[in-house]
Amino acid sequence: MNTELINSIAKYVEQHIGEFHRNRIAKLQSVNLKELLSRKNPYLFKAKNIVIAGGMVESLASATMSSAEESIFGNWMEGVAMFVAEQVYAGYKSSAEGIDLEFDKEGVHYFVSVKSGPSWSNSTSMKKQKEQFAKARRVFNTSRKTVPTMCIEGCCYGNDNKGYNDSDHEKYCGEKFWTLISGEPTLFVDIIEPLGFKSKEKNEEYFVEYGRMINKFTQEFIQDYCNADGDIEWDKIVRLNAAIKAPKKTKKK
């Protein structure tokens, strides 16, 4: 374990972890009940025989926030990765489109697109990423033709490591990625403790806001989507979610 590097990461986390928790709360405060109902599959919830308004709202909110938190934390974790590369290899934020990080290591110039996890792409996004790597390399080679380059999809977790048909583009996940940007083979394990800085305190703040949202949305759900007997009116939910929307009328000039 590189104690000096871990201490630096701990200080970085202490200074920046609040951003992650603030963004979680901001996401909670930005959603509304109609948005939750519009984005999730009403047929699935009916098939699960959900009959309690609070249970319906809780399921909607949990599914929505789980997805949002993955994205929010992924973006924040990319900052940690860039900090590590900066400390160890003088890495820097790339100006190239689609590239997050550049640094030199053992005579090779690396272009890294930092991802949260391995399941980030489809065929369209992968094609675009390959084009961005190729462009970044072309621009770089106009001034430093003799320096070998390597393009990396760097995933903060997972172990889906692989090469592609283009030999200068590879996917590094988890241990392999953190080792690349730090030179420390155990860093992927060592960083877990610093990431827990004040997590209990910050989560308590989050769940206060989460509870408010659940209570508020449950009241709204009962009022708008339950009948006088307290039954969920599924037809209203399905219409909100899946009915064809009438085109907006344009104002005459």
Side-chain angles (χ1 to χ4, degrees):
M1 179 190 295
N2 184 332
T3 304
E4 184 178 351
L5 179 59
I6 291 298
N7 289 339
S8 294
I9 294 173
K11 289 180 181 178
Y12 176 90
V13 171
E14 182 176 345
Q15 292 170 357
H16 295 277
I17 192 65
E19 298 166 9
F20 165 63
H21 293 289
R22 285 193 296 273
N23 287 336
R24 292 169 78 204
I25 291 175
K27 178 61 180 178
L28 276 179
Q29 295 171 339
S30 72
V31 298
N32 58 66
L33 180 60
K34 284 189 175 180
E35 180 183 353
L36 297 183
L37 291 169
S38 297
R39 292 187 176 183
K40 297 301 176 183
N41 186 347
Y43 308 107
L44 171 62
F45 290 111
K46 178 61 174 176
K48 291 168 69 174
N49 193 36
I50 295 179
V51 296
I52 300 173
M56 179 68 174
V57 170
E58 181 87 47
S59 295
L60 288 166
S62 176
T64 299
M65 289 308 301
S66 177
S67 176
E69 285 179 343
E70 181 77 15
S71 176
I72 292 168
F73 188 72
N75 291 336
W76 184 84
M77 197 67 175
E78 290 168 14
V80 177
M82 294 180 68
F83 172 79
V84 170
E86 178 185 356
Q87 295 295 301
V88 180
Y89 295 114
Y92 56 92
K93 174 68 176 174
S94 176
S95 61
E97 181 183 4
I99 313 300
D100 298 303
L101 171 67
E102 293 184 46
F103 64 94
D104 293 289
K105 178 180 180 180
E106 298 172 354
V108 178
H109 186 81
Y110 285 88
F111 298 97
V112 184
S113 180
V114 184
K115 312 297 183 184
S116 172
S119 302
W120 68 272
S121 68
N122 53 34
S123 59
T124 301
S125 57
M126 176 56 71
K127 180 182 178 182
K128 183 175 182 180
Q129 181 70 82
K130 286 176 178 287
E131 291 171 349
Q132 291 168 334
F133 278 143
K135 182 178 179 180
R137 182 183 285 117
R138 283 197 305 271
V139 172
F140 178 83
N141 286 339
T142 59
S143 60
R144 295 175 65 180
K145 292 181 180 179
T146 60
V147 179
T149 58
M150 189 69 190
C151 296
I152 302 293
E153 292 171 54
C155 304
C156 293
Y157 69 88
N159 54 20
D160 184 20
N161 300 296
K162 63 181 179 181
Y164 295 94
N165 292 331
D166 50 333
S167 59
D168 292 330
H169 170 208
E170 294 188 20
K171 186 175 186 178
Y172 285 15
C173 297
E175 178 182 357
K176 193 171 184 179
F177 169 63
W178 290 103
T179 301
L180 170 71
I181 64 173
S182 71
E184 298 293 331
T186 63
L187 185 64
F188 77 108
V189 174
D190 298 337
I191 60 172
I192 196 69
E193 284 303 318
L195 293 179
F197 177 75
K198 291 191 175 180
S199 58
K200 182 176 184 295
E201 173 188 327
K202 298 297 183 181
N203 276 319
E204 286 175 353
E205 295 175 16
Y206 172 81
F207 282 115
V208 167
E209 292 297 327
Y210 185 81
R212 288 173 179 164
M213 182 186 74
I214 295 298
N215 294 336
K216 175 186 172 184
F217 286 176
T218 299
Q219 289 179 320
E220 186 178 341
F221 186 88
I222 292 171
Q223 178 180 323
D224 295 342
Y225 301 101
C226 291
N227 62 25
D229 293 326
D231 300 317
I232 296 175
E233 297 184 290
W234 288 99
D235 61 324
K236 287 186 177 181
I237 295 172
V238 172
R239 289 182 186 281
L240 171 68
N241 178 278
I244 297 173
K245 301 293 189 294
K248 294 182 178 179
K249 295 181 179 180
T250 55
K251 293 182 179 180
K252 292 183 180 180
K253 294 183 180 180

